[in-house]
């Protein structure tokens, strides 16, 4: 199947100051993914430092995390590139092959894992947002998942923060509307817990992650 191989898609868009940019989209697999792990890890750390994640960042954890995708044949990792620079990425993996925190969450609710494909994250550098690049990444991702046999749903989870959180920027707006427009339903009672160290903290703390799901 074609999508098992590296695929390039070039899309023109307007960047800051109205400058026309050619953004390339590439599916990374196997050795190509392994060779890009450090660049992808730096991108994830940069984006997840922002609210609402406030992630301190740990390169050793990031390498281990990303190698999970490299070792799974049905995983997908699509990057957006401005020339040779990684500026965005989206990841996915069969839920039953993903992470124990997610698997435990589904099993506790007797929810089926087999037909669910997990969207790990979609990250994009701040200066490239609101230009359609994130939408294109997601569209490429969903198209890819639809060609994989046996999957009927896509699921992801996002961190849950209190509205009164002290580090919430005044201009912050969550992405619930973005996902609802693409057919996702928020499942407020399906919550996984992940631990990470927040910026300025000495120790890791647990964070609730609320699930969204969509039938495909």
């Amino acid at each position: 199947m074609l999508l098992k191989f590296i695929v390039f898609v070039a899309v023109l868009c307007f960047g800051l100051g109205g400058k026309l940019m050619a953004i390339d989209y590439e599916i990374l697999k196997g050795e190509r993914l392994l060779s890009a792990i450090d660049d992808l890890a730096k991108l994830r750390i940069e984006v997840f430092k922002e609210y609402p994640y406030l992630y301190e960042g740990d390169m050793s954890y990031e390498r281990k995390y990303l190698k999970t995708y490299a070792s799974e044949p049905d995983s997908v990792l699509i990057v957006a590139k401005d020339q040779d620079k990684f500026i965005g990425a989206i990841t996915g993996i069969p839920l039953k092959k993903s992470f124990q925190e997610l698997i435990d969450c589904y099993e506790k609710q007797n929810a089926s894992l087999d037909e669910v494909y997990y969207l790990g994250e979609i990250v994009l550098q701040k200066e490239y947002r609101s230009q359609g690049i994130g939408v294109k990444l997601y569209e490429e991702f969903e198209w890819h998942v639809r060609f994989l046999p046996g999957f009927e749903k896509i699921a992801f989870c996002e961190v849950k923060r209190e509205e009164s959180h002290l580090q919430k920027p005044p201009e912050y707006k969550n992405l619930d509307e973005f996902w609802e427009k693409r057919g996702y339903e928020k499942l407020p009672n399906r919550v996984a817990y992940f631990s990470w160290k927040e910026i300025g903290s000495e120790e890791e703390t647990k964070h609730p992650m609320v699930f969204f799901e969509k039938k495909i």
Side-chain angles (χ1 to χ4, degrees), residues 47-131:
V47 173
F48 285 131
K49 276 186 176 180
E50 300 173 36
Y51 185 89
Y53 288 89
L54 304 173
Y55 172 51
E56 178 68 34
D58 182 327
M59 284 295 289
S60 61
Y61 170 81
E62 292 296 318
R63 291 184 183 113
K64 180 181 177 182
Y65 170 83
L66 290 164
K67 283 178 181 177
T68 302
Y69 292 92
S71 63
E72 170 52 44
D74 284 335
S75 71
V76 59
L77 200 158
I78 305 172
V79 294
K81 300 189 297 182
D82 183 1
Q83 298 182 21
D84 291 328
K85 175 189 175 186
F86 289 173
I87 55 97
I90 188 168
T91 67
I93 193 169
L95 183 60
K96 65 182 180 181
K97 299 289 185 69
S98 63
F99 306 96
Q100 197 60 48
E101 294 91 339
L102 306 174
I103 294 168
D104 288 346
C105 180
Y106 268 68
E107 289 181 342
K108 284 177 182 177
Q109 295 189 357
N110 295 315
S112 176
L113 296 167
D114 291 346
E115 75 276 12
V116 183
Y117 199 87
Y118 176 65
L119 192 170
E121 62 265 305
I122 178 168
V123 292
L124 186 63
Q125 287 183 330
K126 187 177 290 187
E127 61 266 35
Y128 290 89
R129 295 173 194 167
S130 300
Q131 299 171 44

Side-chain angles (χ1 to χ4, degrees), residues 27-199:
I27 295 176
L28 304 186
K29 290 282 190 179
E31 290 299 320
R32 176 70 180 103
L33 197 164
L34 286 172
S35 70
I37 276 181
D38 278 9
D39 287 334
L40 292 165
K42 290 172 185 176
L43 175 63
R44 274 178 41 89
I45 289 172
E46 176 185 345
V47 173
F48 285 131
K49 276 186 176 180
E50 300 173 36
Y51 185 89
Y53 288 89
L54 304 173
Y55 172 51
E56 178 68 34
D58 182 327
M59 284 295 289
S60 61
Y61 170 81
E62 292 296 318
R63 291 184 183 113
K64 180 181 177 182
Y65 170 83
L66 290 164
K67 283 178 181 177
T68 302
Y69 292 92
S71 63
E72 170 52 44
D74 284 335
S75 71
V76 59
L77 200 158
I78 305 172
V79 294
K81 300 189 297 182
D82 183 1
Q83 298 182 21
D84 291 328
K85 175 189 175 186
F86 289 173
I87 55 97
I90 188 168
T91 67
I93 193 169
L95 183 60
K96 65 182 180 181
K97 299 289 185 69
S98 63
F99 306 96
Q100 197 60 48
E101 294 91 339
L102 306 174
I103 294 168
D104 288 346
C105 180
Y106 268 68
E107 289 181 342
K108 284 177 182 177
Q109 295 189 357
N110 295 315
S112 176
L113 296 167
D114 291 346
E115 75 276 12
V116 183
Y117 199 87
Y118 176 65
L119 192 170
E121 62 265 305
I122 178 168
V123 292
L124 186 63
Q125 287 183 330
K126 187 177 290 187
E127 61 266 35
Y128 290 89
R129 295 173 194 167
S130 300
Q131 299 171 44
I133 299 170
V135 172
K136 181 64 176 175
L137 276 170
Y138 177 75
E139 289 173 347
E140 292 290 328
F141 169 84
E142 184 173 316
W143 187 71
H144 181 98
V145 175
R146 287 178 181 274
F147 276 83
L148 294 172
F151 296 103
E152 299 177 6
K153 297 177 181 179
I154 299 174
F156 71 90
C157 54
E158 67 176 15
V159 67
K160 181 180 179 181
R161 294 286 193 185
E162 298 296 331
E163 286 296 320
S164 58
H165 195 283
L166 294 177
Q167 295 192 55
K168 179 183 175 183
E171 71 279 6
Y172 174 76
K173 182 180 179 181
N174 68 43
L175 294 175
D176 289 7
E177 184 178 344
F178 175 91
W179 295 114
E180 288 167 2
K181 285 181 178 178
R182 283 154 184 82
Y184 284 88
E185 177 187 0
K186 193 172 187 176
L187 306 175
N189 295 321
R190 187 167 296 171
V191 181
Y193 289 85
F194 280 86
S195 296
W196 65 82
K197 188 187 293 185
E198 291 192 8
I199 295 170

